[in-house]
Amino acid sequence: MGAGHSHVPGDSSLGPAPHRVRVVVALVVGPLVLATLVGLWVLWPTGDLEITTPGADVQRGTAKVEALVPCARDSDGCRAAEVELLSGPGAPGTDRAILPYGPGAPQVEVGDRIIVSYVGDSPDGERYAFQDFDRGPPLLTLTVLFAVGVLLLSRWRGIGSLVSLAATLVLIAVFTLPAIMAGSSPLLVAIVTASASMVVTLYLSHGFTVRTTVAMLGTLVSLVLIGGIGWVFTTVVRFTGQVDEGSQYIATIAAQVDLRGLLLAGLVIGALGVLDDVTVTQTWAVWELADVDPEATARGLFVRAMRIGRSHVASTVNTLVLAYVGATLPLMLVFSALQLPFGIAVSQEVVAQEVVRGLVGGLGIIAAVPVTTAVAALVAGVLVRERGAAQRAPSHRA
């Protein structure tokens, strides 16, 4: 393999990272991985959490509507259905289920797959009740289409992306949610979750390379900034965290959960995906610029890559803020119908939370671009010099 052409896969043709760069990377990544593992060990929930509240012990399953039948109860408008039980108590088998009725009730038709709750024996013989539609099959179809699309575009690299996504979802299910329910600090749990997800996602999706590590460092710095600013402003604006039915229900059944910390946890985890996109793009941009310019300097790489970064920030921040605006659009319509002044409407906690999320996340993105670009330019500048020295070496020997 000729001089200047051997390189780590995924690091373009800049050549392998010098020994001192690899040492610095190891000194940075090693403690981060160790701290993440320690955090997982310390915060990992132990034992089952006992929750006693109405509805906590209700058994549920899935069923298919075979026929609509008259309701046995003496109530105007009551509806029922003969259902084939597919899972849950009584499955497999057939039984009757009460359907929702009244103004605004969902319309259930023959052939629909529904989720039913088991209400036990009743005088009218209807032991099940409709809870919701079973959306599992269409969601599974959409998931398969998504996976196929990722694989068609990204090929083998897409496999790593899908595996990392699955690992993140499993981590949230088995660690993040139980740890928060057990009473651990939601912010600390979110930081450990984000750190573990970041390491797994970036390295599986983009390979164990120096530039992947640079992207990870930029993401880490931005997450710390988001956590800090988020903590300050959720305290200053006096958020309670009890703004919707979900948070109010959690406050009732699990008083040990810090709802304001839960808001911070959602902010950190929600920003991680956007930050990954920004830091990876910036790092790859620096590497590509260095790859085509054998005389590139760290300063020159930083200046040129920042031109790309400014455009990226403008579009990404807009996307992030609009996503949070969309989440509160129905509520904003209510405020509009009530003709509340804009300042008062925005000051409502349910809206103000989305404002804080959007602006704090935007600040994290703004910080991620120069930080990541600067680190990437410094490292790429070293690799450019090493490549130049390797290419000049044969002529010197001659």
Side-chain angles (χ1 to χ4, degrees):
M1 189 172 291
H5 295 283
S6 63
H7 60 279
V8 178
D11 269 344
S12 68
S13 60
L14 291 181
H19 176 71
R20 61 182 180 277
V21 174
R22 293 198 298 270
V23 170
V24 172
V25 167
L27 290 176
V28 172
V29 175
L32 172 62
V33 173
L34 180 61
T36 301
L37 293 175
V38 171
L40 288 171
W41 181 72
V42 172
L43 297 174
W44 196 273
T46 57
D48 295 328
L49 184 64
E50 294 287 340
I51 296 178
T52 56
T53 186
D57 57 350
V58 172
Q59 294 179 290
R60 298 174 177 85
T62 58
K64 182 178 180 181
V65 177
E66 298 291 335
L68 301 178
V69 297
C71 183
R73 299 180 181 179
D74 185 15
S75 177
D76 292 338
C78 181
R79 302 188 306 155
E82 294 284 349
V83 296
E84 178 188 358
L85 300 171
L86 304 175
S87 67
T94 58
D95 214 308
R96 292 166 62 93
I98 293 292
L99 300 180
Y101 58 94
Q107 296 299 310
V108 180
E109 300 177 355
V110 173
D112 286 345
R113 290 174 60 102
I114 62 175
I115 298 174
V116 294
S117 56
Y118 179 69
V119 296
D121 294 328
S122 61
D124 51 29
E126 291 158 345
R127 302 187 301 164
Y128 295 85
F130 172 94
Q131 182 174 344
D132 205 342
F133 291 101
D134 179 15
R135 301 178 178 88
L139 290 178
L140 178 60
T141 301
L142 182 59
T143 302
V144 171
L145 289 175
F146 169 77
V148 171
V150 171
L151 293 177
L152 286 177
L153 182 63
S154 302
R155 299 181 182 179
W156 290 108
R157 192 176 293 274
I159 296 177
S161 178
L162 293 174
V163 171
S164 63
L165 175 60
T168 298
L169 295 177
V170 170
L171 178 67
I172 291 175
V174 303
F175 167 70
T176 310
L177 300 179
I180 292 176
M181 283 297 293
S184 297
S185 167
L187 182 57
L188 289 179
V189 172
I191 291 173
V192 173
T193 301
S195 179
S197 174
M198 178 177 60
V199 172
V200 173
T201 298
L202 289 178
Y203 283 128
L204 278 181
S205 300
H206 306 290
F208 291 87
T209 65
V210 171
R211 63 178 175 178
T212 300
T213 303
V214 170
M216 187 176 69
L217 293 178
T219 304
L220 178 62
V221 172
S222 303
L223 282 177
V224 171
L225 180 65
I226 286 175
I229 297 178
W231 179 82
V232 169
F233 279 92
T234 54
T235 302
V236 170
V237 299
R238 304 182 69 174
F239 283 151
T240 65
Q242 299 188 44
V243 296
D244 54 31
E245 292 181 359
S247 58
Q248 292 169 7
Y249 183 70
I250 289 296
T252 301
I253 67 173
Q256 72 277 8
V257 175
D258 177 6
L259 294 180
R260 194 170 67 186
L262 190 61
L263 170 64
L264 275 173
L267 195 155
V268 170
I269 294 175
L272 178 61
V274 180
L275 288 175
D276 282 352
D277 172 60
V278 171
T279 56
V280 168
T281 299
Q282 281 304 109
T283 305
W284 264 239
V286 171
W287 248 251
E288 293 301 319
L289 290 171
D291 194 31
V292 299
D293 185 2
E295 304 298 327
T297 63
R299 179 182 175 81
L301 290 172
F302 177 81
V303 171
R304 283 181 286 171
M306 280 299 297
R307 297 194 190 107
I308 301 172
R310 292 187 186 98
S311 298
H312 197 190
V313 164
S315 59
T316 304
V317 167
N318 188 55
T319 300
L320 183 66
V321 172
L322 287 179
Y324 288 126
V325 170
T328 59
L329 193 57
L331 188 61
M332 293 300 292
L333 285 175
V334 173
F335 292 155
S336 177
L338 295 176
Q339 297 183 344
L340 289 181
F342 180 78
I344 294 178
V346 172
S347 294
Q348 304 294 308
E349 182 170 351
V350 66
V351 178
Q353 281 190 6
E354 303 304 326
V355 173
V356 169
R357 283 195 183 104
L359 296 181
V360 172
L363 286 172
I365 294 172
I366 292 171
V369 169
V371 169
T372 306
T373 305
V375 176
L378 288 173
V379 176
V382 173
L383 297 181
V384 168
R385 291 196 297 273
E386 293 289 331
R387 178 180 62 182
Q391 291 174 343
R392 289 190 297 270
S395 60
H396 292 164
R397 286 195 297 268

